[in-house]
Amino acid sequence: MVYDHFAKVYDELMENVPYDQWLNWFEEGLQKYHSTTPRILEVGCGTGTLLKMLLKHGYDVDGVDISNEMLAIATTKIRPLSSETLLMQQDMRSLNIGKTYDVVIVFCDSLNYLTEKEDIRRAFRSFWRHLNNGGLLFFDVHSVHYVEEILHGFSFAEDREHVAYIWNIFPTTRKGEVLQELTLFFEREPSFYERFFEVHQQRTFSIDTYQELLHLEHFDTLGTYADFTWLPPKPHSERLFFVAKKL
């Protein structure tokens, strides 16, 4: 799924996304795993909110996303801070950047948009190629519990001054997978709205599956954690965090 019309209002509608928690968890992870001054690649950087925060904290960071629409917004945020940061439109399964990094991060459940195990494996292989020897991979995904017990049947609508949306989520026949139907209404002129429709497909897998795929692509899983903490996952954990090292 490539964000299209949603990109235009993503930041406004996602204003409560806890980017500060991702940043804090990541910085704690750098200290925990002794990588305090890394060159970072953010995969799935979206509109660049977290990337901008990383730049403000003094990190050397580049960003990649599959959506040109999201990257166009990211560019407006990043350019006043850095003219050297690369922002690239690429598929995470087949990155070809021409440089390597000390750390690759894939946050905000970006990896859940890969709905086949082979695609996740290809992405891990792609990350491996872009990491220096001993480099670290940090990523998070939804837990199966969250997808099947919380997202299934979820419906939400909101009406703002210039945009309204309806968000419905449905299970598929496959474990850990949902379809998210998003209907957007943009105000083009007073009392006139234009309607757009997007479908987002997401899937998650068990902890063992992610660890197995990491192993197959020559990563050592250093730790698996839950919900922005450094505690191991429990049956009702909603978000899973992984740290792996390139072998």
Side-chain angles (χ1 to χ4, degrees):
M1 172 64 207
V2 178
Y3 286 90
D4 188 359
H5 304 289
F6 191 35
K8 302 171 186 176
V9 291
Y10 182 87
D11 285 342
E12 179 181 354
L13 299 184
M14 299 292 108
E15 61 186 3
N16 293 322
V17 171
Y19 291 107
D20 57 334
Q21 291 189 53
W22 270 292
L23 178 63
N24 292 338
W25 185 88
F26 175 59
E27 291 194 304
E28 290 173 0
L30 291 179
Q31 295 181 3
K32 182 178 179 69
Y33 291 103
H34 310 293
S35 180
T36 54
T37 56
R39 174 184 290 178
I40 302 167
L41 174 65
E42 184 186 4
V43 176
C45 67
T47 61
T49 299
L50 181 59
L51 198 154
K52 179 180 178 180
M53 295 167 71
L54 289 165
L55 286 172
K56 285 187 172 182
H57 279 235
Y59 294 104
D60 179 0
V61 56
D62 294 330
V64 61
D65 200 278
I66 199 169
S67 169
N68 276 321
E69 290 78 8
M70 300 288 269
L71 288 171
I73 297 168
T75 299
T76 65
K77 297 179 183 178
I78 301 308
R79 287 296 167 249
L81 295 175
S82 172
S83 61
E84 298 180 356
T85 294
L86 297 177
L87 293 173
M88 298 156 284
Q89 191 276 323
Q90 293 191 19
D91 188 320
M92 71 172 73
R93 296 166 292 184
S94 54
L95 298 177
N96 184 18
I97 298 173
K99 58 191 292 191
T100 56
Y101 299 84
D102 303 303
V103 173
V104 170
I105 61 175
V106 197
F107 288 143
C108 202
D109 47 86
S110 295
L111 206 63
N112 286 133
Y113 280 94
L114 302 183
T115 59
E116 305 296 335
K117 292 180 184 178
E118 182 56 33
D119 285 331
I120 297 172
R121 185 173 177 181
R122 287 175 58 197
F124 287 161
R125 188 181 311 150
S126 183
F127 304 156
W128 190 95
R129 290 197 305 267
H130 287 82
L131 278 168
N132 296 323
N133 291 334
L136 297 177
L137 169 63
F138 294 78
F139 69 91
D140 75 282
V141 292
H142 292 314
S143 70
V144 173
H145 162 75
Y146 179 75
V147 170
E148 297 197 339
E149 301 299 329
I150 297 177
L151 284 187
H152 280 193
F154 178 86
S155 182
F156 184 75
E158 187 171 5
D159 183 8
R160 300 200 175 193
E161 185 176 0
H162 301 294
V163 62
Y165 70 100
I166 303 169
W167 201 321
N168 294 313
I169 302 179
F170 305 97
T172 73
T173 58
R174 300 198 298 182
K175 184 176 179 62
E177 185 175 62
V178 289
L179 291 178
Q180 305 184 45
E181 296 183 353
L182 179 62
T183 306
L184 293 161
F185 301 88
F186 293 103
E187 186 179 36
R188 296 304 185 191
E189 57 185 74
S191 300
F192 176 77
Y193 284 79
E194 190 171 2
R195 178 182 180 273
F196 297 96
F197 181 74
E198 295 183 5
V199 176
H200 297 226
Q201 184 177 2
Q202 287 191 332
R203 190 181 184 191
T204 199
F205 298 89
S206 69
I207 293 173
D208 288 345
T209 296
Y210 288 109
Q211 291 177 342
E212 176 187 0
L213 296 175
L214 286 166
H215 175 73
L216 289 172
E217 294 306 322
H218 309 290
F219 281 99
D220 178 24
T221 302
L222 301 180
T224 305
Y225 307 100
D227 298 328
F228 298 101
T229 74
W230 296 100
L231 300 174
K234 297 180 179 179
H236 291 88
S237 297
E238 297 183 4
R239 187 177 294 276
L240 308 175
F241 289 78
F242 294 77
V243 184
K245 181 179 180 180
K246 175 179 177 176
L247 298 175

